[in-house]
Amino acid sequence: MKAVAADAPLRIGELARAAGTTTRTIRYYEELGLLAPAPEREQGRHRSYGAADVERLREIVRLKDLLGVTLDELKTIVQAEDARTALREEFHSGDVSPQRRTEILGRAAGHLDRQLELLRRRRGELDALESELAQRRERVDVLLAER
Amino acid sequence: MKAVAADAPLRIGELARAAGTTTRTIRYYEELGLLAPAPEREQGRHRSYGAADVERLREIVRLKDLLGVTLDELKTIVQAEDARTALREEFHSGDVSPQRRTEILGRAAGHLDRQLELLRRRRGELDALESELAQRRERVDVLLAER
DNA sequence: TTGCTCCTCACGTCACGTGAGGTGGC
DNA sequence: TTGCTCCTCACGTCACGTGAGGTGGC
């Protein structure tokens, strides 16, 4: 009997399937440093991943797909997210001065605002296209109702 | 004095700027048959465009950017749009039987529904990401208000 | 042990970017 | 006539896809 642990190590193919991408893409992202800079394994040995890697890769794939950015821009975004996570951990750790806490929150707000700006512009464009098509669709329905 | 006609012929660089793309992209699309299959000009002569070409290219660039499809898929979409335009003209021309008119409307409806499906799914994903970020942003604001 | 998935090159492809060297038109 | 933009190759690049030939682990 094989115990399927909640955080059983994944092989690259399983990670790829879980994140909706390919093994080639994962290796390429690792090569670029977009994913796991130094896997630390001997030459020829299999890569191994955990649940956190699935989350991270899913997020990266999602951002790339939805924002339509280059891998270079994506890297900047991901690095900013990582910095934000680090600040978040610092924020929740015990000894942080109130001034520092306020500063951390300010940075987080700025970062999120920039991301939201980007997303909103893109959604605005999608909305415009959608309402154009919906209007055309409406006209067809009116014409169909007339007969 | 140079009269600037409303439909003055455009050169490829002007078309590129008007549609928010590059001359290379236009030439590549023409090569693929995505744009103006046969420009019909002698070797080495400059390409010439009109206002209709600006509209068409703008639409193509927009679809590509927003839907994130390959040029092959884009070609299929554009061909479907062209077919729809042809049907539209047939519909508005004088002698069309009522049955044929109903058929044309049905096809138009089907095509628009498919496009809308695609757009809505994509917008749904964008909405999800946006509300995630907005929620995080909200929490930051709450924390900032507390101090 | 047999299958499957993994490994590392390395070349191919898609969608253009970027010169090189030359010619066209306001 | 001078500048600018255009022309056609053709090689470069980004983000992977796709084998080739070989090794690892349930």
Side-chain angles (χ1 to χ4, degrees):
Chain A
M1 187 163 151
K2 195 161 117 193
V4 177
D7 201 14
L10 298 171
R11 298 164 81 180
I12 194 169
E14 298 168 316
L15 173 60
R17 239 164 296 139
T21 182
T22 69
T23 60
R24 177 65 173 81
T25 296
I26 294 172
R27 293 196 190 98
Y28 184 55
Y29 286 3
E30 290 183 352
E31 196 184 318
L32 291 185
L34 192 59
L35 223 54
E40 288 179 40
R41 70 207 151 83
E42 299 144 54
Q43 163 86 0
R45 299 297 299 275
H46 291 189
R47 290 167 179 80
S48 187
Y49 305 91
D53 296 312
V54 175
E55 281 321 296
R56 185 179 172 83
L57 183 53
R58 257 204 185 119
E59 192 63 19
I60 288 178
V61 167
R62 179 154 83 136
L63 284 172
K64 190 197 180 237
D65 188 39
L66 289 179
L67 300 183
V69 293
T70 67
L71 293 188
D72 226 58
E73 295 165 324
L74 190 56
K75 199 170 176 178
T76 306
I77 293 175
V78 168
Q79 280 169 351
E81 298 239 322
D82 289 349
R84 217 176 50 76
T85 302
L87 287 178
R88 195 179 140 79
E89 273 163 23
E90 185 189 340
F91 185 91
H92 287 107
S93 79
D95 44 79
V96 190
S97 73
Q99 295 93 315
R100 179 63 180 152
R101 280 174 179 272
T102 306
E103 195 194 330
I104 288 175
L105 289 175
R107 277 171 188 269
H111 177 229
L112 287 171
D113 282 343
R114 248 171 298 139
Q115 298 269 94
L116 279 169
E117 231 320 274
L118 228 136
L119 269 174
R120 287 197 177 114
R121 191 174 322 154
R122 214 167 161 74
R123 201 176 54 101
E125 291 167 15
L126 256 182
D127 281 349
L129 182 54
E130 190 182 327
S131 67
E132 273 176 44
L133 289 187
Q135 211 168 29
R136 285 200 224 159
R137 176 66 238 239
E138 186 63 28
R139 251 176 299 168
V140 170
D141 261 353
V142 168
L143 286 173
L144 272 171
E146 278 175 10
R147 39 197 58 243
Chain B
M1 186 166 155
K2 196 162 113 190
V4 177
D7 200 14
L10 298 171
R11 299 164 82 180
I12 194 169
E14 298 168 316
L15 173 60
R17 237 165 297 140
T21 184
T22 69
T23 60
R24 177 72 233 261
T25 296
I26 294 173
R27 292 195 190 97
Y28 185 55
Y29 287 2
E30 290 183 352
E31 196 184 319
L32 292 184
L34 192 59
L35 222 55
E40 288 179 40
R41 72 207 150 83
E42 297 144 57
Q43 164 86 359
R45 298 298 299 275
H46 290 189
R47 289 167 179 79
S48 187
Y49 304 91
D53 296 311
V54 175
E55 280 322 296
R56 184 179 173 82
L57 183 53
R58 255 202 188 122
E59 191 63 18
I60 287 178
V61 167
R62 180 154 82 136
L63 284 172
K64 190 199 180 235
D65 188 40
L66 289 179
L67 300 183
V69 292
T70 67
L71 293 188
D72 226 57
E73 295 166 325
L74 190 56
K75 199 170 176 179
T76 305
I77 293 175
V78 168
Q79 281 170 350
E81 297 240 323
D82 288 350
R84 218 177 49 78
T85 302
L87 286 179
R88 195 179 139 79
E89 273 163 23
E90 185 189 341
F91 186 91
H92 287 106
S93 78
D95 44 77
V96 190
S97 72
Q99 295 93 316
R100 179 62 179 154
R101 279 174 180 271
T102 304
E103 193 193 331
I104 289 175
L105 289 175
R107 277 172 188 268
H111 177 230
L112 287 170
D113 282 343
R114 248 171 298 139
Q115 298 270 95
L116 279 168
E117 231 321 272
L118 227 136
L119 269 174
R120 288 198 176 114
R121 190 176 322 155
R122 215 168 161 74
R123 202 177 52 101
E125 291 167 14
L126 256 181
D127 281 349
L129 182 55
E130 190 181 326
S131 67
E132 273 175 45
L133 288 188
Q135 212 168 28
R136 287 202 223 158
R137 176 64 238 241
E138 186 62 27
R139 253 177 297 169
V140 170
D141 261 353
V142 168
L143 287 172
L144 271 171
E146 277 175 10
R147 37 198 60 240

